[in-house]
Amino acid sequence: MAAGFKYNLTDLAAALGLAQLGKLERFHARRREIARRYNEAFSRVPGLQTPVTRPGVESAWHLYVLRLNLERLTLSATVSSRC
């Protein structure tokens, strides 16, 4: 017999989780809006590839990952004398 894990929630944690489930669609809608705005802004940068979306697949958008196209990215910065 192998040792396992016992994942019990307290009554308070379960109540908070149930309350959050009632807000789930609003949370998803807000994340979709943020992802849409990121896509719009980052699509203008040639060295960045925004996340791929597929028909019939709904992302929770809990992560927003950009793919870097290193061949198209350049680094230019001005160094300030202030430190």
Coordinates of all heavy atoms in Angstrom, one line a residue:
M1 N 0.9 -1.2 0.0 CA 0.0 0.0 0.0 C 0.9 1.2 0.0 O 1.8 1.3 0.8 CB -0.9 0.0 1.2 CG -1.8 1.1 1.3 SD -3.0 1.0 2.7 CE -4.5 1.3 1.8
A2 N 0.6 2.2 -0.9 CA 1.4 3.4 -1.0 C 0.7 4.5 -0.2 O -0.6 4.6 -0.1 CB 1.5 3.8 -2.4
A3 N 1.5 5.4 0.3 CA 0.9 6.6 1.0 C 0.2 7.5 -0.1 O 0.7 7.6 -1.2 CB 2.0 7.4 1.7
G4 N -0.9 8.1 0.3 CA -1.6 8.9 -0.6 C -1.8 10.3 0.0 O -1.2 10.7 1.0
F5 N -2.7 11.0 -0.6 CA -3.0 12.4 -0.1 C -4.4 12.5 0.3 O -5.3 11.9 -0.4 CB -2.7 13.4 -1.2 CG -1.2 13.4 -1.6 CD1 -0.9 12.7 -2.8 CD2 -0.3 14.1 -0.9 CE1 0.5 12.7 -3.2 CE2 1.0 14.1 -1.3 CZ 1.4 13.4 -2.4
K6 N -4.7 13.2 1.3 CA -6.1 13.4 1.7 C -6.4 14.9 1.6 O -5.9 15.8 2.3 CB -6.3 13.0 3.2 CG -7.7 13.0 3.6 CD -7.8 12.4 5.0 CE -9.2 12.4 5.5 NZ -9.4 11.8 6.8
Y7 N -7.2 15.3 0.6 CA -7.5 16.6 0.3 C -8.9 17.0 0.8 O -9.9 17.0 0.1 CB -7.4 16.9 -1.2 CG -6.1 16.7 -1.8 CD1 -5.8 15.7 -2.7 CD2 -5.1 17.7 -1.6 CE1 -4.6 15.5 -3.2 CE2 -3.8 17.5 -2.1 CZ -3.6 16.5 -3.0 OH -2.3 16.3 -3.5
N8 N -8.9 17.3 2.1 CA -10.2 17.8 2.6 C -10.2 19.3 2.7 O -9.2 19.9 3.0 CB -10.4 17.2 4.1 CG -10.7 15.8 4.1 OD1 -10.8 15.1 3.1 ND2 -10.8 15.2 5.3
L9 N -11.4 19.8 2.4 CA -11.6 21.3 2.5 C -12.3 21.5 3.9 O -13.1 20.7 4.3 CB -12.5 21.8 1.4 CG -12.0 22.0 0.0 CD1 -13.1 22.4 -0.9 CD2 -10.8 22.9 0.0
T10 N -11.9 22.7 4.5 CA -12.7 23.1 5.6 C -14.1 23.5 5.1 O -14.2 23.8 3.9 CB -12.0 24.2 6.4 OG1 -11.9 25.3 5.5 CG2 -10.6 23.8 6.8
D11 N -15.0 23.6 6.0 CA -16.3 24.1 5.6 C -16.2 25.6 5.1 O -16.9 25.9 4.1 CB -17.3 24.1 6.8 CG -17.7 22.7 7.2 OD1 -17.5 21.8 6.4 OD2 -18.2 22.5 8.3
L12 N -15.4 26.4 5.7 CA -15.2 27.7 5.2 C -14.6 27.8 3.8 O -15.1 28.5 3.0 CB -14.3 28.5 6.2 CG -14.1 30.0 5.9 CD1 -15.4 30.8 5.8 CD2 -13.2 30.6 6.9
A13 N -13.6 27.0 3.6 CA -13.0 27.0 2.2 C -14.0 26.5 1.2 O -14.1 27.0 0.1 CB -11.7 26.1 2.2
A14 N -14.8 25.5 1.5 CA -15.8 25.0 0.6 C -16.9 26.0 0.3 O -17.3 26.2 -0.8 CB -16.5 23.7 1.2
A15 N -17.3 26.8 1.3 CA -18.3 27.8 1.2 C -17.7 28.9 0.3 O -18.4 29.4 -0.6 CB -18.7 28.4 2.5
L16 N -16.5 29.3 0.5 CA -15.8 30.3 -0.4 C -15.8 29.8 -1.8 O -16.0 30.6 -2.8 CB -14.4 30.7 0.1 CG -14.4 31.5 1.4 CD1 -12.9 31.6 1.9 CD2 -14.9 32.9 1.1
G17 N -15.4 28.6 -2.0 CA -15.3 28.0 -3.4 C -16.7 28.0 -4.1 O -16.8 28.3 -5.3
L18 N -17.7 27.6 -3.4 CA -19.1 27.6 -3.9 C -19.5 29.1 -4.3 O -20.1 29.3 -5.4 CB -20.1 27.0 -3.0 CG -20.0 25.5 -2.8 CD1 -20.9 25.0 -1.7 CD2 -20.3 24.8 -4.1
A19 N -19.2 30.0 -3.5 CA -19.5 31.4 -3.8 C -18.8 31.9 -5.0 O -19.3 32.6 -5.9 CB -19.2 32.3 -2.6
Q20 N -17.5 31.5 -5.2 CA -16.7 31.9 -6.4 C -17.3 31.2 -7.6 O -17.2 31.8 -8.7 CB -15.2 31.5 -6.2 CG -14.5 32.3 -5.1 CD -14.4 33.7 -5.4 OE1 -15.3 34.5 -5.2 NE2 -13.2 34.1 -6.0
L21 N -17.8 30.0 -7.5 CA -18.4 29.4 -8.7 C -19.5 30.2 -9.3 O -19.7 30.2 -10.5 CB -18.9 28.0 -8.4 CG -17.8 26.9 -8.3 CD1 -18.4 25.6 -7.8 CD2 -17.1 26.7 -9.6
G22 N -20.2 30.9 -8.5 CA -21.3 31.7 -9.0 C -20.8 32.9 -9.8 O -21.6 33.5 -10.6
K23 N -19.6 33.2 -9.6 CA -19.0 34.4 -10.4 C -18.1 33.9 -11.6 O -17.5 34.7 -12.2 CB -18.1 35.2 -9.5 CG -18.8 35.7 -8.2 CD -17.8 36.4 -7.3 CE -18.5 36.8 -6.0 NZ -17.5 37.4 -5.1
L24 N -18.1 32.6 -11.8 CA -17.2 32.0 -12.8 C -17.4 32.6 -14.2 O -16.4 33.0 -14.8 CB -17.4 30.5 -12.9 CG -16.5 29.7 -13.8 CD1 -15.0 29.9 -13.3 CD2 -16.9 28.2 -13.8
E25 N -18.6 32.8 -14.7 CA -18.7 33.3 -16.0 C -18.2 34.8 -16.1 O -17.6 35.2 -17.1 CB -20.2 33.3 -16.5 CG -20.4 33.7 -17.9 CD -19.5 33.1 -18.9 OE1 -19.2 31.9 -18.9 OE2 -19.0 33.9 -19.8
R26 N -18.4 35.5 -15.1 CA -17.9 36.9 -15.1 C -16.4 36.9 -15.1 O -15.8 37.7 -15.8 CB -18.5 37.6 -13.9 CG -18.2 39.1 -13.9 CD -18.9 39.9 -12.8 NE -18.3 39.4 -11.5 CZ -19.0 39.5 -10.4 NH1 -20.3 39.9 -10.3 NH2 -18.5 39.1 -9.3
F27 N -15.8 36.0 -14.3 CA -14.3 35.9 -14.3 C -13.8 35.6 -15.7 O -12.9 36.1 -16.2 CB -13.9 34.9 -13.3 CG -14.1 35.2 -11.9 CD1 -14.1 34.2 -10.9 CD2 -14.2 36.5 -11.4 CE1 -14.3 34.5 -9.6 CE2 -14.4 36.9 -10.1 CZ -14.4 35.8 -9.2
H28 N -14.4 34.6 -16.3 CA -14.0 34.1 -17.7 C -14.2 35.3 -18.7 O -13.3 35.5 -19.5 CB -14.8 32.9 -18.1 CG -14.3 31.6 -17.5 ND1 -14.8 30.4 -17.9 CD2 -13.4 31.4 -16.6 CE1 -14.1 29.5 -17.2 NE2 -13.3 30.0 -16.4
A29 N -15.3 36.0 -18.6 CA -15.5 37.1 -19.5 C -14.5 38.2 -19.4 O -14.0 38.7 -20.4 CB -16.9 37.7 -19.3
R30 N -14.1 38.5 -18.2 CA -13.1 39.5 -17.9 C -11.7 39.0 -18.5 O -11.0 39.8 -19.1 CB -13.0 39.8 -16.4 CG -11.9 40.8 -16.1 CD -12.2 42.2 -16.6 NE -11.2 43.1 -16.2 CZ -10.7 44.0 -17.0 NH1 -11.1 44.2 -18.2 NH2 -9.7 44.8 -16.6
R31 N -11.4 37.7 -18.3 CA -10.1 37.2 -18.8 C -10.1 37.2 -20.3 O -9.1 37.5 -20.9 CB -9.9 35.8 -18.3 CG -9.5 35.8 -16.8 CD -9.3 34.4 -16.4 NE -8.9 34.3 -15.0 CZ -8.9 33.2 -14.3 NH1 -9.3 32.0 -14.8 NH2 -8.5 33.2 -13.0
R32 N -11.2 36.9 -20.9 CA -11.3 36.9 -22.4 C -11.1 38.3 -22.9 O -10.4 38.5 -23.9 CB -12.7 36.4 -22.9 CG -12.8 34.9 -22.9 CD -14.0 34.4 -23.6 NE -15.3 34.9 -23.0 CZ -15.9 34.2 -22.0 NH1 -15.5 33.1 -21.6 NH2 -17.1 34.8 -21.6
E33 N -11.7 39.3 -22.3 CA -11.5 40.7 -22.7 C -10.0 41.1 -22.5 O -9.5 41.8 -23.4 CB -12.4 41.6 -21.8 CG -12.2 43.1 -22.1 CD -12.4 43.5 -23.6 OE1 -13.1 42.8 -24.3 OE2 -11.9 44.6 -23.9
I34 N -9.4 40.8 -21.5 CA -8.0 41.1 -21.3 C -7.1 40.4 -22.4 O -6.3 41.1 -23.0 CB -7.5 40.7 -19.9 CG1 -8.2 41.6 -18.8 CG2 -6.0 40.8 -19.8 CD1 -8.0 41.1 -17.4
A35 N -7.4 39.1 -22.6 CA -6.7 38.4 -23.7 C -6.9 39.1 -25.0 O -5.9 39.2 -25.8 CB -7.1 36.9 -23.7
R36 N -8.1 39.5 -25.3 CA -8.4 40.1 -26.6 C -7.6 41.4 -26.7 O -7.0 41.7 -27.8 CB -9.9 40.5 -26.7 CG -10.3 41.0 -28.1 CD -11.7 41.6 -28.0 NE -11.8 42.8 -27.2 CZ -11.3 44.0 -27.5 NH1 -10.6 44.2 -28.6 NH2 -11.4 45.0 -26.6
R37 N -7.5 42.2 -25.7 CA -6.7 43.4 -25.7 C -5.2 43.2 -25.9 O -4.5 43.9 -26.6 CB -7.0 44.3 -24.5 CG -8.5 44.7 -24.4 CD -8.8 45.4 -23.2 NE -8.6 46.8 -23.3 CZ -8.8 47.7 -22.4 NH1 -9.2 47.4 -21.2 NH2 -8.6 49.0 -22.6
Y38 N -4.7 42.1 -25.2 CA -3.3 41.8 -25.3 C -3.1 41.3 -26.8 O -2.1 41.7 -27.4 CB -3.0 40.6 -24.4 CG -2.7 41.0 -23.0 CD1 -2.6 39.9 -22.0 CD2 -2.6 42.3 -22.5 CE1 -2.4 40.2 -20.7 CE2 -2.4 42.6 -21.2 CZ -2.3 41.5 -20.3 OH -2.0 41.8 -19.0
N39 N -4.0 40.5 -27.3 CA -3.8 40.1 -28.7 C -3.7 41.2 -29.7 O -2.9 41.3 -30.6 CB -4.9 39.1 -29.1 CG -4.8 37.8 -28.6 OD1 -3.7 37.3 -28.2 ND2 -5.9 37.0 -28.5
E40 N -4.6 42.2 -29.5 CA -4.6 43.4 -30.3 C -3.3 44.2 -30.2 O -2.8 44.6 -31.2 CB -5.8 44.3 -29.9 CG -6.0 45.5 -30.8 CD -7.2 46.3 -30.3 OE1 -8.3 45.7 -30.2 OE2 -7.0 47.5 -30.0
A41 N -2.8 44.4 -29.0 CA -1.6 45.1 -28.8 C -0.4 44.4 -29.3 O 0.5 45.0 -30.0 CB -1.5 45.5 -27.3
F42 N -0.2 43.1 -28.9 CA 1.0 42.4 -29.3 C 1.0 41.9 -30.7 O 2.1 41.6 -31.2 CB 1.1 41.2 -28.3 CG 1.4 41.5 -26.9 CD1 0.7 41.0 -25.9 CD2 2.4 42.5 -26.6 CE1 1.0 41.3 -24.6 CE2 2.7 42.8 -25.3 CZ 2.0 42.2 -24.3
S43 N -0.1 41.9 -31.4 CA -0.1 41.5 -32.8 C 0.6 42.5 -33.7 O 1.0 42.2 -34.8 CB -1.5 41.3 -33.3 OG -2.2 42.5 -33.4
R44 N 0.8 43.7 -33.2 CA 1.6 44.8 -33.9 C 3.1 44.6 -33.8 O 3.8 45.4 -34.4 CB 1.1 46.1 -33.4 CG -0.3 46.4 -33.6 CD -0.7 47.8 -33.2 NE -2.1 47.8 -32.9 CZ -2.6 48.4 -31.8 NH1 -1.8 48.9 -30.9 NH2 -3.9 48.3 -31.5
V45 N 3.5 43.8 -32.9 CA 5.0 43.6 -32.7 C 5.5 42.4 -33.5 O 5.1 41.3 -33.3 CB 5.3 43.4 -31.2 CG1 6.8 43.2 -31.0 CG2 4.7 44.5 -30.3
P46 N 6.3 42.6 -34.5 CA 6.7 41.6 -35.4 C 7.4 40.4 -34.8 O 7.3 39.3 -35.2 CB 7.7 42.3 -36.4 CG 7.5 43.7 -36.2 CD 6.9 43.9 -34.8
G47 N 8.1 40.6 -33.7 CA 8.8 39.5 -33.0 C 8.0 38.7 -32.1 O 8.6 37.8 -31.4
L48 N 6.7 39.0 -31.9 CA 5.9 38.2 -31.0 C 4.8 37.5 -31.7 O 4.2 38.0 -32.6 CB 5.3 39.2 -30.0 CG 6.2 40.0 -29.1 CD1 5.5 41.0 -28.2 CD2 7.1 39.1 -28.3
Q49 N 4.5 36.3 -31.2 CA 3.4 35.5 -31.7 C 2.4 35.3 -30.5 O 2.7 34.8 -29.5 CB 3.8 34.1 -32.2 CG 2.7 33.3 -32.7 CD 3.1 31.9 -33.1 OE1 4.3 31.6 -33.3 NE2 2.2 31.0 -33.3
T50 N 1.2 35.8 -30.7 CA 0.1 35.7 -29.7 C -0.4 34.2 -29.6 O -0.2 33.4 -30.5 CB -1.0 36.6 -30.0 OG1 -1.6 36.3 -31.3 CG2 -0.6 38.1 -30.0
P51 N -1.0 33.9 -28.5 CA -1.5 32.5 -28.3 C -2.5 32.1 -29.5 O -3.2 32.9 -30.0 CB -2.3 32.6 -27.0 CG -1.7 33.7 -26.3 CD -1.3 34.7 -27.3
V52 N -2.4 30.8 -29.8 CA -3.2 30.3 -30.9 C -4.6 29.9 -30.3 O -4.7 29.3 -29.2 CB -2.6 29.0 -31.5 CG1 -3.5 28.4 -32.5 CG2 -1.2 29.4 -32.1
T53 N -5.6 30.3 -31.0 CA -7.0 29.8 -30.6 C -7.5 28.8 -31.6 O -7.2 29.0 -32.8 CB -7.9 31.0 -30.4 OG1 -8.0 31.7 -31.7 CG2 -7.5 31.9 -29.3
R54 N -8.3 27.9 -31.1 CA -8.8 26.8 -32.0 C -10.3 26.8 -31.9 O -10.8 26.9 -30.8 CB -8.2 25.5 -31.7 CG -6.7 25.4 -32.0 CD -6.2 24.0 -31.6 NE -4.8 23.9 -31.9 CZ -3.8 24.2 -31.1 NH1 -4.0 24.6 -29.9 NH2 -2.5 24.1 -31.5
P55 N -11.0 26.5 -33.0 CA -12.4 26.4 -33.0 C -12.8 25.3 -32.1 O -12.2 24.2 -32.1 CB -12.8 26.1 -34.4 CG -11.7 26.5 -35.3 CD -10.4 26.4 -34.4
G56 N -13.8 25.5 -31.3 CA -14.3 24.4 -30.4 C -13.5 24.3 -29.1 O -13.8 23.4 -28.3
V57 N -12.5 25.1 -28.9 CA -11.6 25.0 -27.7 C -11.7 26.3 -27.0 O -11.4 27.3 -27.5 CB -10.1 24.7 -28.1 CG1 -9.3 24.6 -26.8 CG2 -10.1 23.3 -28.8
E58 N -12.1 26.3 -25.7 CA -12.3 27.5 -24.9 C -11.2 27.5 -23.9 O -11.1 26.6 -23.1 CB -13.7 27.5 -24.3 CG -13.9 28.7 -23.4 CD -14.5 29.8 -24.1 OE1 -15.0 29.7 -25.2 OE2 -14.3 31.0 -23.6
S59 N -10.4 28.6 -23.9 CA -9.3 28.7 -22.9 C -9.9 29.4 -21.7 O -10.7 30.3 -21.8 CB -8.2 29.5 -23.5 OG -7.2 29.8 -22.5
A60 N -9.3 29.1 -20.6 CA -9.7 29.9 -19.3 C -8.9 31.2 -19.2 O -9.2 32.0 -18.4 CB -9.4 29.0 -18.1
W61 N -7.8 31.3 -20.1 CA -7.0 32.5 -20.1 C -6.4 32.8 -18.7 O -6.2 33.9 -18.4 CB -7.7 33.7 -20.7 CG -8.0 33.5 -22.1 CD1 -9.3 33.4 -22.6 CD2 -7.1 33.5 -23.2 NE1 -9.2 33.3 -24.0 CE2 -7.9 33.3 -24.4 CE3 -5.7 33.6 -23.4 CZ2 -7.3 33.3 -25.7 CZ3 -5.2 33.5 -24.6 CH2 -6.0 33.3 -25.7
H62 N -6.1 31.7 -18.0 CA -5.4 32.0 -16.7 C -3.9 32.2 -16.9 O -3.3 32.8 -16.0 CB -5.6 30.8 -15.7 CG -4.9 29.5 -16.1 ND1 -5.3 28.8 -17.2 CD2 -3.9 28.9 -15.6 CE1 -4.5 27.7 -17.3 NE2 -3.7 27.8 -16.3
L63 N -3.4 31.9 -18.1 CA -2.0 32.2 -18.5 C -2.1 32.9 -19.9 O -2.9 32.5 -20.7 CB -1.2 31.0 -18.6 CG -1.0 30.2 -17.3 CD1 -0.2 28.9 -17.6 CD2 -0.2 31.0 -16.2
Y64 N -1.3 33.8 -20.1 CA -1.2 34.4 -21.4 C 0.3 34.3 -21.8 O 1.2 35.0 -21.3 CB -1.6 35.9 -21.4 CG -1.7 36.5 -22.8 CD1 -2.8 36.4 -23.5 CD2 -0.5 37.1 -23.4 CE1 -2.9 36.9 -24.8 CE2 -0.6 37.6 -24.6 CZ -1.7 37.5 -25.4 OH -1.8 38.0 -26.6
V65 N 0.6 33.4 -22.8 CA 2.0 33.1 -23.1 C 2.3 33.7 -24.5 O 1.6 33.3 -25.5 CB 2.3 31.6 -23.0 CG1 3.7 31.3 -23.4 CG2 1.9 31.1 -21.7
L66 N 3.3 34.5 -24.6 CA 3.7 35.0 -25.9 C 4.9 34.1 -26.4 O 5.8 33.7 -25.6 CB 4.2 36.4 -25.8 CG 3.2 37.4 -25.6 CD1 3.8 38.8 -25.2 CD2 2.3 37.6 -26.8
R67 N 4.9 33.8 -27.7 CA 6.0 33.1 -28.3 C 6.9 34.1 -29.0 O 6.5 35.0 -29.7 CB 5.6 32.1 -29.3 CG 6.7 31.3 -30.0 CD 6.2 30.2 -30.8 NE 5.8 29.2 -29.9 CZ 5.3 28.0 -30.3 NH1 5.0 27.8 -31.6 NH2 5.0 27.1 -29.5
L68 N 8.2 34.0 -28.7 CA 9.2 35.0 -29.2 C 9.8 34.5 -30.5 O 10.2 33.3 -30.6 CB 10.3 35.2 -28.2 CG 10.0 35.7 -26.8 CD1 11.2 35.8 -26.0 CD2 9.2 37.0 -26.9
N69 N 9.7 35.3 -31.5 CA 10.4 35.0 -32.8 C 11.7 35.7 -32.8 O 11.8 36.9 -33.1 CB 9.6 35.5 -34.0 CG 10.2 35.1 -35.3 OD1 11.3 34.8 -35.4 ND2 9.4 35.2 -36.3
L70 N 12.8 35.0 -32.2 CA 14.0 35.7 -32.0 C 14.7 36.2 -33.2 O 15.5 37.2 -33.1 CB 15.0 34.7 -31.3 CG 14.5 34.2 -29.9 CD1 15.4 33.2 -29.3 CD2 14.2 35.3 -28.9
E71 N 14.4 35.7 -34.4 CA 15.0 36.2 -35.6 C 14.5 37.6 -35.9 O 15.2 38.4 -36.6 CB 14.8 35.3 -36.8 CG 15.5 33.9 -36.7 CD 14.7 32.9 -35.7 OE1 13.5 33.0 -35.6 OE2 15.4 32.1 -35.1
R72 N 13.3 37.9 -35.5 CA 12.7 39.2 -35.8 C 12.8 40.2 -34.7 O 12.5 41.4 -34.9 CB 11.2 38.9 -36.2 CG 11.1 38.1 -37.4 CD 9.7 38.0 -37.9 NE 9.3 39.2 -38.5 CZ 8.0 39.5 -38.8 NH1 7.1 38.6 -38.6 NH2 7.7 40.7 -39.3
L73 N 13.3 39.8 -33.5 CA 13.4 40.7 -32.4 C 14.8 41.4 -32.4 O 15.8 40.8 -32.7 CB 13.3 40.0 -31.1 CG 11.8 39.6 -30.7 CD1 11.9 38.8 -29.4 CD2 11.0 40.8 -30.5
T74 N 14.8 42.7 -32.1 CA 16.0 43.4 -31.9 C 16.0 44.1 -30.6 O 14.9 44.3 -30.0 CB 16.2 44.5 -33.0 OG1 15.1 45.4 -32.9 CG2 16.3 43.8 -34.4
L75 N 17.1 44.3 -30.1 CA 17.2 45.0 -28.8 C 17.9 46.3 -29.0 O 19.0 46.4 -29.5 CB 18.0 44.1 -27.8 CG 18.2 44.7 -26.4 CD1 16.9 44.8 -25.7 CD2 19.1 43.8 -25.6
S76 N 17.2 47.4 -28.6 CA 17.8 48.7 -28.6 C 17.3 49.4 -27.4 O 16.1 49.4 -27.1 CB 17.4 49.4 -29.9 OG 16.0 49.6 -29.9
A77 N 18.3 50.0 -26.7 CA 17.9 50.7 -25.5 C 18.9 51.8 -25.3 O 20.0 51.7 -25.7 CB 18.0 49.7 -24.3
T78 N 18.4 52.8 -24.7 CA 19.3 53.9 -24.3 C 19.7 53.7 -22.8 O 18.8 53.4 -22.0 CB 18.6 55.3 -24.5 OG1 17.4 55.3 -23.8 CG2 18.4 55.5 -26.0
V79 N 20.9 53.9 -22.6 CA 21.4 53.8 -21.2 C 21.5 55.1 -20.6 O 22.1 56.0 -21.1 CB 22.8 53.1 -21.1 CG1 23.3 52.9 -19.7 CG2 22.7 51.7 -21.8
S80 N 20.8 55.3 -19.5 CA 20.8 56.5 -18.8 C 22.0 56.6 -17.8 O 22.5 55.6 -17.3 CB 19.5 56.6 -17.9 OG 19.5 57.8 -17.1
S81 N 22.5 57.8 -17.6 CA 23.6 58.0 -16.7 C 23.1 58.0 -15.3 O 23.9 57.9 -14.4 CB 24.3 59.3 -17.1 OG 23.4 60.4 -16.9
R82 N 21.8 58.1 -15.1 CA 21.3 58.0 -13.7 C 21.2 56.6 -13.3 O 20.7 55.7 -14.0 CB 19.9 58.6 -13.7 CG 19.9 60.1 -14.0 CD 18.5 60.6 -14.0 NE 17.7 59.9 -15.0 CZ 16.4 60.1 -15.2 NH1 15.8 60.9 -14.4 NH2 15.8 59.5 -16.1
C83 N 21.6 56.3 -12.1 CA 21.6 54.9 -11.5 C 20.9 54.9 -10.2 O 20.9 55.8 -9.5 CB 22.9 54.3 -11.4 SG 23.7 53.9 -13.0

